[in-house]
Amino acid sequence: MSTTDSSPSSPRRSSSVTSTDDAKQSVRRRVWDLLEREGAAPPGVHGHIPDFVGKEAAAARLAELDAWKKARVIKCNPDRAQLPVRVRALQEGKLLYMAVPRLATPKPFYLLDPADLAIPFETAATSTGAPEIAPTVGPDDMRPVDMIVCGSVAISRRNGVRVGKGAGYSDLEIALLTEAGLVTTETIIATTIHQSQLLDEELPDADHDFSVDYAVTPDEVVACTPDRERPSGILREHLRPDQLDNIPALR
């Protein structure tokens, strides 16, 4: 797998990355606090992709998009907030990929084929059900992805810039699939969120971050126009030592 130059980051770049990380964390805390205060997510949401009120309605609104209807292969995050999205994908006969938590296995994605599932989709599509019944696959075993649905903490209405929970796995998943040619500029990226997670302001982002094409709430669909192209693959200088140590696919 190809990566960019692995030379150490310069002090200036390190300072810039740290500043961006701090700005993102400030946004996260503000949104998590707001969701808890409004009762829009369960207590203890800090540190997580919010399991928001109205996630079923957001999934239904997502399913009304032509891009969803045309998609045959979906890659979706394993968080509770997007469970209705995953179940709907299986109900509609779509092939579904879910990331293995922390990308901790040599083949870092679960393959959920509705034609092969012998348990209810509502169980198979959970983070506890998939490991029991779904095979793991790597990029060499996968089909091109038509749509990615990601979890988010905050999204900018202006340009689709996304702030996640801070672990960085969503960025790495997309980078791995992009390097394998399975995710291209034609692949739609969407997210389902609570209305309070959709912000009118500019949000901080780094070179390795991706933006979304659609932000879908229970109340509306926002078609976003990202300001820059998606990363063309893994930016090795942005990887943390723990990621290199613990994610076999990066080795």
Side-chain angles (χ1 to χ4, degrees), residues 33 55 70 81 85 93 95 105-106 108 119 135 137 150 156 161 167 178 250:
D33 287 345
K55 60 186 178 183
K70 294 176 182 177
V85 173
L95 196 70
T105 58
I119 64 174
V137 292
C150 62
S156 171
V161 168
T178 298
L250 294 180

Side-chain angles (χ1 to χ4, degrees), residues 4 17 27 41 46 62 68 81 91 93 96 98 106-107 127 134 140 144 150 160 200 221 223 228 238:
T4 59
V17 169
V27 171
H46 282 247
L62 171 68
W68 171 274
Q91 289 172 338
L96 177 65
M98 284 174 54
K107 295 185 176 183
S127 59
D140 290 344
C150 62
D200 291 331
V221 174
R228 59 181 174 83
H238 286 228

Side-chain angles (χ1 to χ4, degrees), residues 188-206:
I188 299 297
I189 302 181
T191 188
T192 53
I193 52 174
H194 189 269
Q195 196 72 28
S196 297
Q197 297 173 257
L198 184 61
L199 306 182
D200 291 331
E201 66 208 66
E202 297 284 349
L203 294 179
D205 67 336

